[in-house]
Amino acid sequence: MRRAPRLGSRRMRRAGAFYVFTGPWLLGFLILTAYPLGYALWLSFTNSDGLSSHPRFVGLDNYREVFTDPDTLDSLARTGLFTAITVPLTITAGLFLAVLLNQPIRARGLFRTLLYLPAVVPPVGAALTFKLIFDRDSGSANGLLDMFGVNGVAWLADPYARWVLITLTLWAAGNVMIISLAGLQDIPRELHEAARVDGASQWQSFTRITLPLLSPVLFFQVVTGIIAALQTFAPLLISLDPTPQGVSAVPRSNNLIMINVFTQYFANSRYGYASALLWVLFVFIIAITLVVFRLSKGAVFYSVDPEQEKTRSRTIGGS
Amino acid sequence: MVLARRSVVHMLLVAMLVLFLSPFGWLVITALKAPSELRAVPIHWWPHHLTLDNFSQALTFFDYLGYARNSLTIAVIYSTLITLASAWAGYGFARLDAPGKRLVFGVLLSTMMMPQIITLIPTYLLFTRAGLVNTYVPWVLWGLCGAPYLIFLFRQFFTNMPKELEEAAIVDGCGQIRVFWRIFLPQSWPVIATSLILSFSWSWGDYVAPALLLDDDRTTLAVKIATGYVNEHGTGLYTLVAAGVVVYIVPVLLLFLILQRGFVSGVATSGLK
């Protein structure tokens, strides 16, 4: 539209080329993301058990059940609580480490590498490691407590299992640390120097300059943190029960929503109901993402047009 | 005062380091213990009978190397395909224009946040119907589609390359595909490295997809070490678990230590761009 008409055929070719390049991904999105989601949506309105070829249409029954079934409400509440605890804790811990690493100290690179190391450990490795630490009879956690006369705490059972899971999540705070550190290093040094000249304290300089300038990075962390927390599944299974069929053996205090979903699908064969659960979770995640993005409006900025990109002035700081 | 502050920072960092690295310590100590002292009271903070037997047993208790080969096969197929496919799509978003691009790009951005576990179970049901369960075809398909996040990384990189590069090539009569293949792709090796490392470790670390899709003999190491070290009474053999986990995570940690830059830039960019 903006180009001269004589370039018309070239533009057409370019348009074709755009779809040649993005087509495979787009096709993959339709087949492997959109279609399964649509399939789950259709299932959620039926009483499918995965076996009978003609499931009955049950309307909104499954969704009604999601919001009335005490077990599901329980798992939703626990998931909410888990998210509300781990997201702020992980971000605070990661930010704390990043601020420490942003000081001019010796061996900074080494500290950074080693503190990030746990975040690189594959989830299965991390979960099994924590299982060894918190084992009732052979774990180091009880070994330590034993020296203070407390013995035989069953960490992997109720009511403590929740805290083991939270600790396990916190162990990967290195992710937040690395991203926050990159953000901290983007903040011009002069700003802090000017503040100091004006007589601002360290704390003031942190809360008035660092935090606002870091807010886009932190907002992003909040979104991805919430999404990750809501989907927590593999660590639960591995650290607490040795078999994948053992979903229902997960302690009550870790009865998160994904445990409920897997139990409904694979232990109870209630495909319809489980699909409704998935969709409720999906809508929930979209809603949270939208709300957080709305809150951070102007802080996170993507441009669609590459040409626009070069001239863009980067928007920093919240509104 | 500056000195005092620095030493406080140092002390805090050392304390944090001890806290963050202690799980590795306990893992290794457990792997070096004789099974008989696993449940000793009071606890043995250091093995009284230092032994490497757990390692040799962990490797033979089940066909460890066979499962490692399964993991490796899947990870290599997946990471190679997904890197190429993501570069391919990233080039389109960065350098080409078409009606509907805004919409397609919007879809890309929204799928970056897409919770994967939500699509996994319905996908599994569909793969079961298509007879793709217990094959590695799903990883080929996932690889061929590219990953929104990696596409985005490539797009960022290609966007910043000078326009003259492409124009000169087009004048020379190169088509877009050759421009991509000959000029842009070779230039993007830092992103290729990041993408390979990230996708390799996603696949190597994944538990849920192989647990759902693959039978016991074709599954990955991640699934097998989580479930395989159990004796006939159903009791977990923890010294073997520890040794098995060490062997499983050490390659990933080494890969990270050697190629740190790729890892860190990949993670750090995700928060900024």
Side-chain angles (χ1 to χ4, degrees):
Chain A
M1 282 149 250
R2 283 164 289 137
R3 298 252 168 94
R6 66 190 165 83
L7 289 174
S9 70
R10 197 172 133 194
R11 270 194 61 217
M12 288 272 276
R13 270 215 308 279
R14 288 203 138 208
F18 173 78
Y19 285 103
V20 168
F21 278 92
T22 56
W25 165 73
L26 206 53
L27 197 68
F29 164 76
L30 291 175
I31 297 173
L32 294 178
T33 304
Y35 182 60
L37 271 178
Y39 180 61
L41 186 63
W42 175 75
L43 279 180
S44 73
F45 294 113
T46 70
N47 67 350
S48 168
D49 57 3
L51 296 172
S52 59
S53 46
H54 296 290
R56 198 163 49 84
F57 186 75
V58 294
L60 288 172
D61 280 5
N62 287 324
Y63 289 94
R64 214 165 285 136
E65 194 181 337
V66 169
F67 294 104
T68 48
D69 175 16
D71 193 53
T72 297
L73 291 178
D74 176 74
S75 70
L76 283 172
R78 287 181 196 279
T79 311
L81 186 67
F82 173 74
T83 309
I85 294 174
T86 50
V87 174
L89 268 184
T90 316
I91 290 180
T92 312
L95 186 60
F96 175 67
L97 293 174
V99 168
L100 287 182
L101 284 176
N102 200 32
Q103 309 295 321
I105 45 155
R106 262 181 301 132
R108 203 159 70 154
L110 186 69
F111 277 118
R112 190 188 65 174
T113 303
L114 293 178
L115 285 169
Y116 183 58
L117 208 56
V120 183
V121 176
V124 171
L128 290 173
T129 303
F130 270 61
K131 183 177 176 173
L132 297 174
I133 292 171
F134 287 99
D135 184 67
R136 194 175 66 106
D137 302 319
S138 66
S140 54
N142 275 350
L144 210 59
L145 286 176
D146 198 39
M147 301 200 293
F148 300 98
V150 181
N151 34 33
V153 181
W155 288 105
L156 300 178
D158 289 324
Y160 305 108
R162 170 188 293 152
W163 298 103
V164 175
L165 186 66
I166 290 169
T167 320
L168 174 60
T169 313
L170 267 173
W171 197 38
N175 275 321
V176 178
M177 174 192 84
I178 289 286
I179 296 170
S180 306
L181 185 60
L184 285 175
Q185 287 168 346
D186 267 5
I187 298 175
R189 202 166 280 277
E190 299 80 49
L191 287 178
H192 289 286
E193 275 157 19
R196 196 165 44 215
V197 171
D198 287 347
S201 70
Q202 290 275 339
W203 180 248
Q204 280 175 325
S205 162
F206 178 74
T207 52
R208 305 273 172 82
I209 298 173
T210 311
L211 277 186
L213 287 181
L214 209 58
S215 65
V217 177
L218 294 179
F219 265 123
F220 180 83
Q221 295 293 302
V222 171
V223 179
T224 49
I226 291 173
I227 295 176
L230 292 177
Q231 302 183 63
T232 302
F233 178 64
L236 289 164
L237 208 56
I238 302 149
S239 56
L240 306 171
D241 195 270
T243 66
Q245 290 77 30
V247 190
S248 42
V250 169
R252 196 80 199 157
S253 61
N254 277 341
N255 180 30
L256 301 189
I257 183 75
M258 283 314 298
I259 292 294
N260 195 353
V261 169
F262 269 74
T263 311
Q264 296 298 350
Y265 267 113
F266 299 110
N268 303 349
S269 290
R270 295 194 60 196
Y271 284 34
Y273 182 56
S275 302
L277 276 174
L278 272 186
W279 260 91
V280 168
L281 184 62
F282 182 48
V283 170
F284 207 57
I285 289 178
I286 293 176
I288 288 176
T289 311
L290 287 179
V291 166
V292 177
F293 268 107
R294 189 53 50 85
L295 286 174
S296 69
K297 204 149 199 202
V300 185
F301 177 67
Y302 299 111
S303 69
V304 175
D305 194 0
E307 264 106 280
Q308 201 178 311
E309 184 111 322
K310 283 175 200 145
T311 53
R312 84 180 195 198
S313 59
R314 200 157 142 212
T315 327
I316 334 172
S319 40
Chain B
M1 199 199 115
V2 174
L3 265 179
R5 200 177 119 209
R6 274 186 203 176
S7 61
V8 170
V9 169
H10 246 146
M11 269 161 49
L12 283 172
L13 277 175
V14 170
M16 285 293 149
L17 209 57
V18 170
L19 204 62
F20 272 73
L21 295 187
S22 60
F24 290 117
W26 190 246
L27 179 68
V28 173
I29 289 168
T30 310
L32 295 173
K33 274 183 182 177
S36 58
E37 58 176 329
L38 185 68
R39 294 183 172 81
V41 182
I43 197 163
H44 290 180
W45 290 107
W46 185 253
H48 292 190
H49 310 281
L50 210 59
T51 172
L52 289 173
D53 282 358
N54 294 319
F55 286 92
S56 54
Q57 275 195 52
L59 295 184
T60 50
F61 191 79
F62 50 76
D63 182 14
Y64 196 97
L65 295 178
Y67 288 102
R69 199 167 49 236
N70 294 350
S71 282
L72 202 63
T73 310
I74 292 179
V76 167
I77 294 173
Y78 176 76
S79 58
T80 313
L81 289 178
I82 208 163
T83 298
L84 274 174
S86 302
W88 181 262
Y91 178 82
F93 282 113
R95 310 300 294 202
L96 299 164
D97 219 340
K101 179 175 177 181
R102 196 169 276 272
L103 177 72
V104 179
F105 191 64
V107 173
L108 180 80
L109 286 183
S110 52
T111 51
M112 272 174 78
M113 294 288 176
M114 186 79 201
Q116 277 165 2
I117 205 158
I118 295 207
T119 48
L120 185 64
I121 300 177
T123 310
Y124 160 77
L125 301 179
L126 292 167
F127 281 164
T128 312
R129 282 194 173 178
L132 298 178
V133 166
N134 207 24
T135 70
Y136 295 160
V137 176
W139 282 269
V140 174
L141 294 178
W142 282 319
L144 284 174
C145 297
Y149 172 56
L150 300 177
I151 293 174
F152 193 68
L153 281 188
F154 276 105
R155 177 216 177 243
Q156 294 301 89
F157 186 86
F158 290 143
T159 299
N160 293 326
M161 282 173 69
K163 205 165 179 60
E164 294 75 40
L165 216 59
E166 173 190 358
E167 275 162 2
I170 300 249
V171 169
D172 285 348
C174 282
Q176 291 292 349
I177 292 176
R178 280 180 60 190
V179 172
F180 164 74
W181 191 253
R182 294 276 181 79
I183 300 171
F184 279 75
L185 193 62
Q187 291 280 323
S188 68
W189 61 266
V191 192
I192 294 179
T194 303
S195 165
L196 283 175
I197 296 166
L198 285 177
S199 52
F200 188 93
S201 54
W202 292 341
S203 166
W204 185 263
D206 189 20
Y207 174 84
V208 186
L212 276 182
L213 287 164
L214 299 173
D215 286 350
D216 186 64
D217 58 328
R218 303 205 71 185
T219 200
T220 60
L221 198 52
V223 176
K224 197 61 192 179
I225 56 168
T227 55
Y229 293 116
V230 184
N231 69 10
E232 64 272 24
H233 307 299
T235 316
L237 303 166
Y238 288 173
T239 55
L240 297 191
V241 171
V245 170
V246 170
V247 181
Y248 168 66
I249 67 174
V250 159
V252 183
L253 298 185
L254 283 180
L255 192 73
F256 162 67
L257 290 174
I258 298 166
L259 303 168
Q260 251 196 81
R261 218 171 268 266
F263 257 99
V264 170
S265 72
V267 173
T269 341
S270 67
L272 294 174
K273 296 286 160 63

